[in-house]
C-alpha cells in the first residue's frame, strides 16, 4: 500500500493522515509495524514535570516528511539532523497535514536521549472550519471519537502526545465543545501513554474567533486549563510575559512562549539573535518553544551546517538547562545518525553518504568555551557508525591538563564501575599527551531532592584505574583493552566507590611534561562506555520468540 511503502523503491515510509475520515478510519495495520518506535523513552533528571523552565523545539521544515520519511534510512548527502538533546525537554514534529504522526526515526533518536516527542493535530483555512464543524459542531460522541483515535495512534506508534493547533474560525457550537474535547483528549492521552502530553497552540480564543493572543489571558485560559500547556504565538513583548506570569500562577512553566527562529512578524530576536528572546522569557521563569530551528540549515545552507548548528545552540546555552543521565549502562559511539562513510572497528566499510536518525547514538553535552575548547562532530573518521566526537582545545603555558565535560550524571554510584574508552590523538605531537577519564561525585546526603534546579558541584574527583587486561570472565566484552586498531587506542578502567552519587563524566587531556608554551590538541572519541560491574557480570537475558516478517530479498 502506498501509505506505508514508497511507490518507487517499495521501502517502508513514515506517513500522515490528511482528513477527519482517514483519522476516524485508522486502525493498526500489519503493514505499519515499521512505524512503531523501537526505543523506549530513556529516563533522565530532572524529570519533565519538575518546576524548572522547559525548552520545547518545534521542528517545521519544508512541509515535513522529507528524507526522514525513509524508515530504514536513505543515501542523503548533508541531511538535517538534531543532536542538542541534552538541552531540550520536548520535541514536536510539525507539518500542515491534519494528523502529523512523527516519523519513527525522530521518535527513536529523541527517546534514546530522554526527550518525549509530540505529533501535531492541525486544522486551518476553510477546510479546517468544515473539519471542526464536523467533529465539534454536534454532540460529544463525535469529538470523543476523535480524542480516542488520537490517543490510540500515539499509543500504537509509541510517541508521547499531541500539539493541538486550531487556526480557523469556529461556530458557537464548535467553540463551546472545544474545551471539553481538549479535556477528553488530554485524559485519553494520559491514560494511553505514560507521561503523555497535550499542548494547545494559541490560535482561536474562547468565543471561536481566530485571534492570536501572544500570551496567556482570559480569552484563551479555558484551553490552558483543559490540557498540559500553552504554546503562545510569536509576536509578544515584555508586557505579555508579565501578564502571562501573573495569570499562570503555579503553572507558569506550562506556558511555552513561542520564538520563531525565522523572525517572521513583529518579534524580538530570531536567527543568531534568538538569545534575546530567550533571555527575556527566562527572566520571567517561563518555558520557551523554539519554532523552526531548522533555519540554520535552510537559511545558512547545508555545507557548513554542523558548524553553524553548534554556533546557534552555543549562543543559547546560557538560557538552556541541561539534563542528566540517570541510568547505566551508558554506551555511545557519538554517531549523529548520518555520515559520508560507514565505519566498523575504526575501519571504513563503505564510502557513500547515509542518513538514518534511528541509528543516532546517545549525544553528549556540547559545551561552548569560545576558542579555547570545542566539541564537534567529525565525519572523516569514526570507530563505529558515521562519526566520532572531535574535542579540540589548548592547554595553557605551565598548566598540566584540561578537562572537558562530556556528560552530566545524576544517580547513585554502584560499588564498582567498569569504563571503556576508544580515542585517537591527532596533531603535531600526540606522544606528548595522555588521555583519560575523570568522574565527579558528591556525597549521597545531598542526593535526590524534588524540583532541584541547580545540583551541587561535585565534591570529589576520581581517576579510574587503568586495567591492563580484561576483567576475569569478561574477555569478550572488553576484548580491546589496551589494544587499539586502525590508529585508535583502547583503554579499560575500573573504579570502586562508596556512598556517593555520580555527577559528571569528563575527558582529561594531560601533558606528560608541563610546557612553557601553549599546547593545542585534537582528540577524536570513538566510543565511551560506563558500566555497572554487577550487571555486566550477570548473564544476559536470552532472546526468545524471534520472528521476521516483511522480507524483501535482493
Amino acid at each position: 500500500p502506498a501509505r506505508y511503502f514508497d511507490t518507487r523503491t517499495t521501502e517502508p515510509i513514515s506517513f500522515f493522515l490528511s482528513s477527519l475520515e482517514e483519522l476516524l478510519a485508522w486502525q493498526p495495520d500489519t503493514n505499519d509495524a515499521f512505524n512503531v518506535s523501537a526505543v523506549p523513552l530513556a529516563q533522565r533528571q530532572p524529570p519533565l514535570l519538575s518546576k524548572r523552565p522547559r525548552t520545547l523545539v518545534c521542528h517545521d521544515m519544508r512541509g515535513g516528511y522529507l528524507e526522514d520519511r525513509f524508515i530504514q534510512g536513505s543515501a542523503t548527502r548533508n541531511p538535517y539532523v538534531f543532536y542538542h538533546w541534552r538541552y531540550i525537554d520536548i520535541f514536536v514534529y510539525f507539518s500542515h497535514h491534519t494528523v502529523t504522526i512523527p516519523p519513527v526515526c525522530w521518535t527513536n533518536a529523541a527517546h534514546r536521549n530522554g526527550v518525549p516527542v509530540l505529533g501535531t493535530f492541525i486544522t486551518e483555512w476553510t477546510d479546517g472550519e468544515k473539519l471542526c464543524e464536523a467533529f465539534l459542531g454536534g454532540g460529544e460522541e463525535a469529538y470523543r471519537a476523535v480524542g480516542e483515535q488520537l490517543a490510540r495512534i500515539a499509543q500504537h506508534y509509541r510517541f508521547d502526545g499531541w500539539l493541538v493547533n486550531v487556526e480557523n474560525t469556529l461556530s458557537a457550537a464548535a467553540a463551546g465543545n472545544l474545551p471539553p474535547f481538549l479535556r477528553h483528549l488530554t485524559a485519553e492521552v494520559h491514560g494511553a501513554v505514560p507521561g503523555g502530553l497535550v499542548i494547545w497552540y494559541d490560535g482561536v480564543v474562547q468565543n471561536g474567533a481566530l485571534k492570536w493572543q501572544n500570551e496567556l489571558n482570559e480569552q484563551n485560559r479555558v484551553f490552558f486549563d483543559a490540557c498540559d500547556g500553552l504554546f503562545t504565538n510569536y509576536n509578544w513583548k515584555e508586557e505579555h510575559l508579565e501578564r502571562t506570569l501573573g495569570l499562570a500562577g503555579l503553572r507558569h512553566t506550562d506556558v511555552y512562549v513561542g520564538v520563531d527562529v525565522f523572525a517572521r512578524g513583529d518579534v524580538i530576536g530570531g536567527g543568531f539573535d534568538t538569545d534575546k528572546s530567550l533571555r527575556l522569557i527566562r527572566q520571567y521563569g517561563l518555558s520557551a518553544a523554539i519554532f523552526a530551528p531548522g533555519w540554520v540549515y535552510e537559511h545558512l545552507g547545508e555545507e557548513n551546517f554542523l558548524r553553524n548548528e553548534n554556533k546557534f545552540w552555543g549562543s543559547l546555552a546560557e538560557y538552556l538547562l541541561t539534563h542528566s543521565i540517570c541510568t547505566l549502562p551508558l554506551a555511545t559511539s557519538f554517531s549523529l545518525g548520518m555520515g559520508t562513510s560507514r565505519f566498523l572497528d575504526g575501519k571504513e566499510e563503505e564510502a557513500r553518504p547515509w542518513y538514518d536518525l534511528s541509528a543516532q547514538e546517545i549525544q553528549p553535552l556540547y559545551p561552548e568555551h569560545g576558542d579555547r575548547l570545542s566539541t564537534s562532530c567529525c565525519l572523516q573518521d569514526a570507530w563505529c557508525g558515521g562519526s566520532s566526537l572531535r574535542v579540540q582545545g589548548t592547554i595553557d603555558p605551565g598548566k598540566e591538563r584540561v578537562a572537558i565535560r562530556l556528560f552530566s550524571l545524576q544517580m547513585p554510584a554502584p560499588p564498582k564501575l567498569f569504563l571503556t574508552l576508544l580515542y585517537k590523538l591527532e596533531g603535531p605531537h600526540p606522544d606528548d599527551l595522555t588521555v583519560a577519564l575523570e568522574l565527579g561525585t558528591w556525597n549521597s546526603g545531598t542526593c535526590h531532592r524534588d524540583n532541584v534546579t541547580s545540583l551541587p558541584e561535585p565534591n570529589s574527583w576520581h581517576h579510574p584505574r587503568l586495567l591492563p587486561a580484561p576483567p576475569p570472565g569478561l574477555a569478550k566484552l572488553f576484548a580491546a583493552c589496551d589494544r587499539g586498531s586502525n590508529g585508535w587506542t583502547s583503554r579499560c578502567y575500573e573504579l570502586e566507590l562508596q556512598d556517593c552519587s555520580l555527577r559528571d563524566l569528563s575527558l582529561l587531556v594531560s601533558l606528560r611534561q608541563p610546557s612553557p608554551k601553549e599546547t593545542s590538541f585534537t582528540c577524536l572519541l570513538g566510543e565511551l562506555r560506563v558500566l555497572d560491574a554487577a550487571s555486566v557480570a550477570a548473564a544476559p537475558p536470552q532472546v526468545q520468540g524471534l520472528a521476521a516478517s516483511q522480507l524483501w530479498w535482493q
Side-chain angles (χ1 to χ4, degrees):
R3 175 186 282 177
Y4 304 111
F5 299 97
D6 185 64
T7 48
R8 200 169 43 86
T9 65
T10 77
E11 291 169 291
I13 51 172
S14 294
F15 65 93
F16 50 85
L17 305 176
S18 298
S19 65
L20 187 61
E21 294 70 38
E22 284 187 17
L23 170 61
L24 293 172
W26 176 87
Q27 289 287 349
D29 185 295
T30 51
N31 287 309
D32 71 3
F34 288 112
N35 277 287
V36 177
S37 170
V39 182
L41 180 59
Q43 289 179 305
R44 58 186 199 165
Q45 286 289 347
L48 185 67
L49 297 178
S50 69
K51 283 294 170 201
R52 69 177 199 172
R54 305 178 199 119
T55 305
L56 175 153
V57 160
C58 191
H59 172 65
D60 171 30
M61 185 174 281
R62 299 174 187 160
Y65 301 95
L66 306 172
E67 288 78 10
D68 53 4
R69 75 185 186 279
F70 291 103
I71 294 169
Q72 294 172 335
S74 66
T76 307
R77 193 178 292 282
N78 297 327
Y80 175 75
V81 290
F82 179 82
Y83 49 94
H84 286 81
W85 300 109
R86 297 274 138 241
Y87 303 93
I88 75 164
D89 296 85
I90 299 165
F91 182 86
V92 178
Y93 194 88
F94 181 89
S95 84
H96 290 276
H97 301 290
T98 306
V99 179
T100 298
I101 298 167
V104 65
C105 63
W106 281 105
T107 307
N108 287 338
H111 279 187
R112 188 170 286 121
N113 286 281
V115 174
V117 175
L118 308 187
T120 307
F121 176 53
I122 189 171
T123 68
E124 50 191 347
W125 312 108
T126 321
D127 287 347
E129 285 180 38
K130 291 178 193 154
L131 192 151
C132 288
E133 197 54 38
F135 86 96
L136 290 170
E140 66 174 88
E141 201 175 307
Y143 72 69
R144 290 178 77 91
V146 169
E148 278 149 27
Q149 281 294 79
L150 288 171
R152 283 179 68 207
I153 287 171
Q155 180 184 46
H156 178 70
Y157 297 115
R158 298 189 188 158
F159 62 97
D160 307 285
W162 296 98
L163 172 69
V164 180
N165 187 351
V166 176
E167 292 202 76
N168 48 257
T169 312
L170 298 176
S171 68
N177 275 330
L178 188 50
F181 161 67
L182 261 187
R183 270 195 297 278
H184 175 66
L185 171 63
T186 304
E188 288 291 313
V189 167
H190 288 180
V193 179
L197 291 170
V198 173
I199 292 175
W200 170 255
Y201 179 72
D202 160 29
V204 295
V205 290
Q206 190 166 358
N207 67 6
L210 177 58
K211 268 193 183 152
W212 298 272
Q213 298 298 298
N214 305 298
E215 66 177 337
L216 171 67
N217 60 25
E218 291 301 344
Q219 296 200 65
N220 59 19
R221 181 183 187 162
V222 61
F223 308 123
F224 178 62
D225 291 343
C227 67
D228 297 307
L230 169 74
F231 179 149
T232 77
N233 191 44
Y234 313 104
N235 304 118
W236 47 268
K237 296 285 177 276
E238 191 166 354
E239 56 266 28
H240 293 92
L241 304 182
E242 209 168 316
R243 291 194 294 262
T244 295
L245 181 63
L247 193 59
L250 291 173
R251 284 190 68 201
H252 61 95
T253 55
D254 293 339
V255 179
Y256 300 84
V257 180
V259 177
D260 180 2
V261 181
F262 277 85
R264 291 161 281 212
D266 180 16
V267 301
I268 293 168
F272 281 122
D273 289 330
T274 299
D275 59 314
K276 291 177 180 165
S277 321
L278 249 67
R279 182 183 307 128
L280 268 179
I281 293 166
R282 296 304 197 221
Q283 273 173 21
Y284 288 88
L286 300 167
S287 293
I290 300 176
F291 184 75
W295 170 86
V296 175
Y297 183 85
E298 292 187 65
H299 181 69
L300 300 173
E302 304 168 4
E303 285 306 314
N304 288 319
F305 165 62
L306 294 173
R307 188 184 307 150
N308 290 329
E309 181 77 341
N310 285 348
K311 181 182 167 187
F312 175 77
W313 288 97
S315 74
L316 306 182
E318 192 183 335
Y319 308 106
L320 303 175
L321 298 159
T322 55
H323 295 81
S324 308
I325 288 175
C326 63
T327 53
L328 292 179
L330 162 58
T332 181
S333 71
F334 304 102
S335 178
L336 293 188
M338 50 127 355
T340 49
S341 301
R342 280 186 191 271
F343 294 85
L344 186 64
D345 293 343
K347 187 161 156 270
E348 187 179 62
E349 295 265 289
E350 194 180 12
R352 67 184 179 96
W354 64 277
Y355 173 52
D356 180 2
L357 281 172
S358 290
Q360 189 182 90
E361 302 242 346
I362 293 173
Q363 292 299 306
L365 298 166
Y366 285 87
E368 272 296 307
H369 301 282
D371 304 333
R372 311 293 299 159
L373 216 52
S374 71
T375 46
S376 59
C377 161
C378 172
L379 294 169
Q380 293 73 39
D381 200 354
W383 174 254
C384 178
S387 56
S388 55
L389 188 71
R390 183 193 286 115
V391 180
Q392 285 175 299
T394 52
I395 301 174
D396 289 335
K399 288 269 175 23
E400 283 179 36
R401 62 180 120 175
V402 63
I404 302 96
R405 188 164 169 243
L406 299 175
F407 289 99
S408 169
L409 308 171
Q410 192 182 347
M411 63 187 118
K416 187 174 181 181
L417 288 170
F418 289 131
L419 302 94
T420 69
L421 177 67
L422 274 145
Y423 69 90
K424 185 183 269 194
L425 277 168
E426 295 188 329
H429 308 292
D431 296 341
D432 297 348
L433 297 161
T434 62
V435 173
L437 292 172
E438 182 174 73
L439 263 171
T441 61
W442 76 70
N443 299 341
S444 273
T446 56
C447 241
H448 302 283
R449 290 185 300 181
D450 289 344
N451 292 337
V452 126
T453 50
S454 59
L455 299 167
E457 286 298 306
N459 52 20
S460 310
W461 296 100
H462 305 269
H463 301 118
R465 185 173 74 86
L466 192 62
L467 291 171
L474 298 176
K476 203 168 169 188
L477 191 60
F478 296 106
C481 280
D482 209 25
R483 206 180 71 239
S485 58
N486 298 307
W488 291 86
T489 303
S490 174
R491 293 280 184 261
C492 300
Y493 307 90
E494 70 174 10
L495 179 63
E496 294 187 14
L497 294 165
Q498 230 178 337
D499 294 332
C500 64
S501 292
L502 303 179
R503 176 71 183 96
D504 270 338
L505 179 60
S506 299
L507 183 76
L508 207 57
V509 180
S510 310
L511 280 167
R512 293 183 194 276
Q513 296 288 321
S515 164
K517 296 202 299 277
E518 193 174 76
T519 309
S520 54
F521 64 86
T522 300
C523 180
L524 301 183
L525 298 188
E527 187 187 72
L528 173 66
R529 296 186 293 180
V530 183
L531 312 170
D532 176 351
S535 60
V536 168
Q542 294 301 302
V543 175
Q544 290 176 330
L546 185 66
S549 62
Q550 301 286 10
L551 300 179
W552 179 42
W553 296 102
Q554 278 184 287

